[in-house]
């Protein structure tokens, strides 16, 4: 994963988390922050604990996860797919990551006309940290090539 | 814990594209996929339709496993709802498909991608379950926000209808009809930005004959049939409402950028600048149809997302029918007036005297190639109103005439008025308004039905260019 992607993932983009249960029933939720590991093969995605019950149950069941990162202003979108290696309660020192993300997401959504005050009461913390081993990366910016595997060029 | 709901319990604004909906699906191989949906329509209390523009992973997954999970957001409160869907079928024709397709076409034409970015299918899903996601947001006392739909000044829909209808009944001429209608829409319903556009003589473009809430930039603005929301409404003769214009355009532009990268932009036309607010977030356009002919378009905008609700559309369709009928009645009356107008055209009169204080000469130039009239170096008017102005000024310079009739304009083959529904009075209204804005030294003053007087404050210097 190139540094440019890491910057995108750790910015205020919308983070969408997709999982599924044993019966292949999918689940969608919003993430509340991400940290790309130094090895660039792993990403920790944070999810608000209070609304993550189904997502976490799905992860414990099969470990499959898709995470979509979408920049609000121009729809630049990437999706990673992989397996969850660890699920844990986010540590106190990671609260800053989540709070920074909450602020950056608010900035991103304010740029496209949403009210800052609307997003203020989002229950992003306490969060659960989900460590994902990235197996595949897809470019998902809307268009005829959406869904193509990312080959390392411009997304 | 979350409580079960019906899909119709969700606020209507959740389905207006202001806050995009998240969709998760899963392939037969068990690999999940998550992204945003482009458009979602509520069909009834048990079904929704999602737009499919590209045969992407989401579509492949729902065909394989039939299930999708949505996270739907209320754009006003950001509360979230979980909706589980089961794929039923897709449609490539019929009312849902056409309705979705027209909205996408309106955005595609605006972003220069007509034919490139189009609806492949409308995918119909049964709603399996709906829940509010409890504790998604902190509970706060006041969730009101400027995103709330237009706060109406109405005293009930029927009163508003009565008020607008009455305002439309009073005008004595077509110009006053347009002005009174837009004034009444603001006064009774709170629509601050509105336009009435009419087809020009080519039948391929529309021009704004009346505008409210646009300063001087509204009147005379043009848009081609099939371009953007207004042009699409004119071409398809159906109403269109877009609640998150900014979001739709960003989506369209993202696709445009993607197409440019993969094809070098060979299939793309330039993005079209359209009349209206630069920061419009909600648009609503209604066709004006009389006698099975398109006589114009009523267009409204708001800088607020989700400003127009379904009832506004229904309300305005009733108003639009009245406007169309009134326009048609004025057009017929104009023709009848011509038939009755047996008075001779005013003979040569002394040229109107320029006031003493006028020390300059109006330098007007007519460009024959596109029928444009310029005042010094400033564009004044073009096409039929341009030809009419040039005829009047030419006659005045040649013979000193100041009085003219609609009938003689109709009989002048060089002007190229359409044989049917020529909208001459509306063309004169546009010409008068353009002169008021850009060249107040020239006035066309109505003196009787079908007659008007040319008044000049300065001497003229007329020139022509190829």
């Amino acid at each position: 994963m190139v540094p440019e992607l890491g910057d995108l993932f750790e910015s205020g983009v919308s983070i969408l988390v997709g999982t599924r249960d044993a019966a292949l029933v999918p689940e969608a939720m919003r993430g509340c922050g991400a940290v790309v590991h130094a090895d660039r093969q792993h990403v920790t995605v944070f999810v608000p604990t209070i609304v993550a019950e189904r997502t976490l149950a799905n992860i414990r069941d099969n470990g499959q996860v898709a995470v979509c990162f979408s920049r609000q202003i121009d729809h630049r979108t990437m999706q990673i797919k992989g397996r969850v290696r660890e699920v844990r309660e986010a540590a106190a020192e990671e609260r800053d990551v989540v709070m920074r993300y909450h602020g950056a997401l608010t900035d991103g959504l304010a740029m496209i006309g949403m009210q800052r005050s609307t997003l203020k009461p989002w229950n992003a913390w306490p969060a659960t940290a989900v460590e994902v081993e990235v197996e595949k990366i897809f470019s998902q910016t809307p268009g005829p090539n959406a869904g193509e595997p990312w080959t390392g060029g411009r997304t | 814990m979350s409580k079960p709901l019906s899909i119709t319990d969700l606020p209507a604004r959740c389905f207006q594209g202001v806050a995009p909906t998240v969709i998760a699906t899963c392939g037969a191989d068990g690999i999940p996929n998550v992204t945003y949906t482009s458009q979602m329509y509520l069909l009834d209390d048990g079904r929704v339709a999602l737009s499919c523009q590209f045969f992407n992973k989401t579509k492949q997954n729902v065909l394989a496993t039939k299930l999708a999970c949505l996270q739907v957001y209320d754009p006003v409160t950001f509360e979230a709802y979980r909706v589980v869907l089961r794929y039923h079928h897709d449609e490539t024709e019929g009312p849902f498909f056409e309705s979705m397709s027209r909205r996408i076409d309106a955005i595609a034409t605006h972003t220069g991608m007509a034919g490139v970015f189009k609806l492949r299918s409308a995918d119909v899903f049964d709603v399996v379950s709906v829940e509010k996601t409890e504790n998604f947001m902190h509970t706060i006392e006041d969730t009101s926000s400027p995103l709330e739909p237009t706060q109406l000044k109405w005293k009930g829909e029927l009163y508003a209808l009565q008020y607008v209808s009455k305002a439309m009944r009073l005008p004595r001429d077509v110009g006053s009809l347009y002005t009174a209608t837009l004034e009444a829409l603001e006064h009774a319903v709170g629509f601050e930005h509105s336009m009435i556009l009419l087809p020009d003589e080519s039948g391929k473009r529309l021009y704004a004959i009346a505008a409210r809430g646009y300063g001087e930039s509204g009147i005379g603005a043009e848009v081609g049939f099939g371009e953007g929301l207004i042009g699409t409404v004119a071409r398809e003769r159906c109403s269109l409402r877009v609640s998150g214009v900014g979001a739709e355009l960003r989506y369209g532009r993202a696709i445009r950028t993607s197409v440019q990268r993969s094809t070098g932009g060979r299939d793309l036309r330039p993005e079209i600048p359209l009349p209206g607010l630069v920061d419009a977030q909600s648009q609503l356009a209604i066709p004006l149809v009389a006698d099975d002919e398109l006589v114009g378009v009523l267009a409204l905008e708001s800088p607020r997302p989700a400003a127009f609700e379904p009832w506004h559309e229904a309300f305005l369709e009733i108003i639009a029918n009245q406007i169309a009928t009134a326009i048609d009645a004025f057009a017929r009356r104009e023709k009848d007036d011509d038939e009755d107008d047996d008075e001779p055209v005013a003979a040569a009169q002394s040229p109107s005297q320029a006031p003493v204080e006028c020390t300059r000469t109006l330098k007007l130039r007519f460009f024959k190639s596109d029928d444009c009239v310029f005042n010094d170096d400033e564009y004044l008017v073009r096409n039929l109103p341009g030809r009419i102005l040039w005829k009047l000024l030419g006659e005045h310079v040649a013979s000193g005439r100041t009085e003219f009739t609609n009938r003689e304009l109709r009989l002048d083959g060089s002007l190229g008025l359409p044989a049917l529904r020529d909208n001459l009075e509306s063309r004169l209204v546009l010409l008068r308004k353009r002169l008021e804005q850009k060249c107040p030294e020239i006035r066309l003053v109505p003196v009787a039905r079908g007659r008007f007087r040319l008044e000049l404050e300065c001497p003229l210097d007329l020139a022509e260019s190829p």
Side-chain angles (χ1 to χ4, degrees):
Chain A
M1 191 193 307
V2 296
E4 185 203 5
L5 272 195
D7 293 345
L8 181 78
F9 293 178
E10 293 182 355
S11 67
V13 293
S14 288
I15 300 174
L16 318 176
V17 179
T19 57
R20 53 89 179 178
D21 69 9
L24 303 188
V25 178
E27 184 66 23
M29 77 173 296
R30 258 182 191 275
C32 55
V35 173
V36 178
H37 295 210
D39 67 1
R40 304 211 166 271
Q41 293 303 307
H42 294 77
V43 179
T44 296
V45 177
F46 297 94
V47 291
T49 305
I50 198 163
V51 292
E53 190 182 341
R54 281 196 183 94
T55 293
L56 298 178
N58 290 349
I59 287 170
R60 281 191 287 272
D61 173 77
N62 55 71
Q64 294 274 17
V65 69
V67 188
C68 178
F69 300 86
S70 182
R71 192 158 61 195
Q72 298 86 2
I73 195 70
D74 61 0
H75 282 281
R76 188 184 169 206
T77 305
M78 302 293 291
Q79 184 171 204
I80 61 172
K81 298 203 179 183
R83 291 202 166 268
V84 174
R85 293 300 169 206
E86 186 187 13
V87 177
R88 58 178 173 77
E89 189 180 324
E93 59 270 22
E94 289 172 314
R95 186 175 189 276
D96 284 350
V97 175
V98 171
M99 290 299 108
R100 260 202 315 275
Y101 173 77
H102 189 173
L105 175 72
T106 303
D107 291 342
L109 292 172
M111 266 198 284
I112 62 165
M114 280 194 82
Q115 301 295 311
R116 289 175 175 279
S117 56
T118 304
L119 293 147
K120 201 172 176 183
W122 185 36
N123 266 327
W125 187 264
T128 299
V130 177
E131 188 187 305
V132 182
E133 183 180 355
V134 180
E135 293 173 342
K136 287 180 179 167
I137 305 178
F138 298 88
S139 170
Q140 218 174 306
T141 301
N145 302 322
E148 297 283 316
W150 183 66
T151 51
R154 176 85 174 85
T155 55
Chain B
M1 285 298 292
S2 304
K3 56 181 181 185
L5 299 169
S6 161
I7 192 77
T8 49
D9 292 331
L10 273 57
R13 56 186 178 250
C14 293
F15 300 95
Q16 294 178 348
V18 179
T21 293
V22 181
I23 179 167
T25 56
C26 178
D29 55 4
I31 297 175
N33 192 80
V34 65
T35 185
Y36 279 128
T37 59
S38 164
Q39 283 192 40
M40 175 170 58
Y41 274 57
L42 183 62
L43 299 180
D44 53 42
D45 61 0
R47 293 181 310 153
V48 298
L50 304 181
S51 63
C52 174
Q53 286 100 295
F54 306 101
F55 188 73
N56 53 18
K57 195 67 178 174
T58 297
K59 182 68 184 266
Q60 292 166 42
N61 285 353
V62 296
L63 288 176
T65 60
K66 307 298 183 198
L67 291 170
C69 175
L70 308 181
Q71 190 164 61
V72 181
Y73 305 99
D74 181 328
V76 172
T77 64
F78 207 53
E79 288 287 1
Y81 298 86
R82 177 181 186 264
V83 179
V84 177
L85 303 176
R86 182 180 297 280
Y87 176 73
H88 191 277
H89 69 281
D90 66 8
E91 295 188 3
T92 53
E93 57 183 10
F96 308 142
F97 178 82
E98 297 300 333
S99 176
M100 269 192 185
S101 186
R102 280 192 290 260
R103 279 178 49 132
I104 285 172
D105 284 353
I107 299 296
T109 56
H110 189 153
T111 48
M113 290 189 300
V116 178
F117 168 41
K118 56 182 185 236
L119 185 66
R120 183 184 287 270
S121 62
D123 296 346
V124 179
F125 292 79
D126 291 324
V127 177
V128 177
S129 66
V130 182
E131 301 166 11
K132 183 177 177 189
T133 305
E134 298 296 345
N135 300 311
F136 187 76
M137 306 292 278
H138 298 298
T139 305
I140 50 174
E141 286 303 304
D142 179 16
T143 56
S144 66
S145 121
L147 272 179
E148 287 289 5
T150 309
Q151 292 304 306
L152 303 180
K153 299 181 204 169
W154 63 339
K155 297 181 179 71
E157 290 168 46
L158 204 56
Y159 166 80
L161 193 60
Q162 180 197 33
Y163 182 94
V164 177
S165 187
K166 190 174 176 183
M168 290 171 56
R169 204 180 59 202
L170 300 173
R172 295 184 47 79
D173 61 80
V174 74
S176 308
L177 167 78
Y178 302 136
T179 308
T181 303
L182 299 187
E183 274 176 5
L185 284 174
E186 179 170 4
H187 180 85
V189 203
F191 295 139
E192 293 171 351
H193 306 281
S194 57
M195 255 185 226
I196 293 174
L197 301 98
L198 305 181
D200 72 4
E201 61 277 15
S202 73
K204 294 177 182 168
R205 295 187 69 74
L206 298 143
Y207 63 94
I209 184 69
R212 190 169 176 85
Y214 296 97
E216 285 196 357
S217 68
I219 292 167
E222 293 184 21
V223 59
F225 272 52
E227 290 176 354
L229 188 87
I230 293 168
T232 304
V233 163
R235 189 186 64 198
E236 303 290 334
R237 293 199 202 178
C238 69
S239 303
L240 275 177
R241 178 164 50 97
V242 178
S243 299
V245 175
E248 302 253 18
L249 289 179
R250 273 194 306 280
Y251 192 82
R253 285 168 185 150
I255 294 169
R256 180 186 173 89
T257 304
S258 168
V259 170
Q260 270 175 318
R261 286 212 189 97
S262 57
T263 68
R266 283 189 305 277
D267 301 326
L268 300 178
R269 299 186 189 93
E271 187 160 320
I272 301 164
L274 295 172
L277 299 174
V278 290
D279 59 345
Q281 287 297 329
S282 298
Q283 291 180 324
L284 174 57
I286 315 266
L288 306 175
V289 178
D291 221 7
D292 201 32
E293 267 197 63
L294 182 89
V295 298
V297 172
L298 171 66
L300 295 105
E301 292 186 303
S302 170
R304 290 183 301 275
F308 304 123
E309 297 183 61
W311 84 262
H312 288 139
E313 200 171 328
F315 171 88
L316 283 162
E317 283 189 8
I318 298 168
I319 297 293
N321 288 337
Q322 287 194 279
I323 300 172
T325 303
I327 291 174
D328 194 47
F330 271 113
R332 288 176 197 278
R333 206 169 73 183
E334 273 185 65
K335 290 283 178 102
D336 294 344
D337 290 346
D338 276 4
E339 301 304 315
D340 299 340
D341 185 3
D342 290 329
E343 290 181 50
V345 172
Q349 299 160 19
S350 57
S352 53
Q353 293 300 307
V356 180
E357 66 269 21
C358 183
T359 55
R360 69 188 195 93
T361 298
L362 278 178
K363 291 189 175 180
L364 295 159
R365 181 172 290 274
F366 182 68
F367 290 84
K368 290 180 178 176
S369 57
D370 53 2
D371 296 342
C372 260
V373 180
F374 275 68
N375 176 14
D376 278 334
D377 293 327
E378 189 180 22
Y379 163 71
L380 185 58
V381 69
R382 71 173 174 179
N383 295 339
L384 181 56
R387 293 195 293 274
I388 291 172
L389 177 64
W390 205 246
K391 170 190 165 74
L392 302 178
L393 298 178
E395 295 248 352
H396 173 76
V397 167
S399 66
R401 280 184 59 199
T402 55
E403 290 237 354
F404 299 88
T405 66
N406 288 12
R407 187 180 188 187
E408 68 178 290
L409 297 180
R410 285 202 169 89
L411 294 173
D412 184 341
S414 71
L415 293 176
L417 274 155
L420 296 168
R421 206 187 295 279
D422 58 29
N423 276 335
L424 173 60
E425 194 56 49
S426 293
R427 267 40 178 211
L428 291 171
V429 168
L430 173 66
L431 179 52
R432 270 187 208 111
K433 288 182 174 175
R434 292 291 295 178
L435 290 169
E436 281 169 22
Q437 285 178 356
K438 303 285 182 188
C439 189
E441 299 87 349
I442 301 175
R443 290 184 297 275
L444 303 180
V445 182
V447 291
R449 201 176 275 176
R451 290 177 166 272
F452 58 93
R453 185 172 59 245
L454 174 68
E455 293 185 354
L456 297 166
E457 284 188 15
C458 301
L460 296 172
D461 175 5
L462 304 183
E464 290 190 0
S465 293

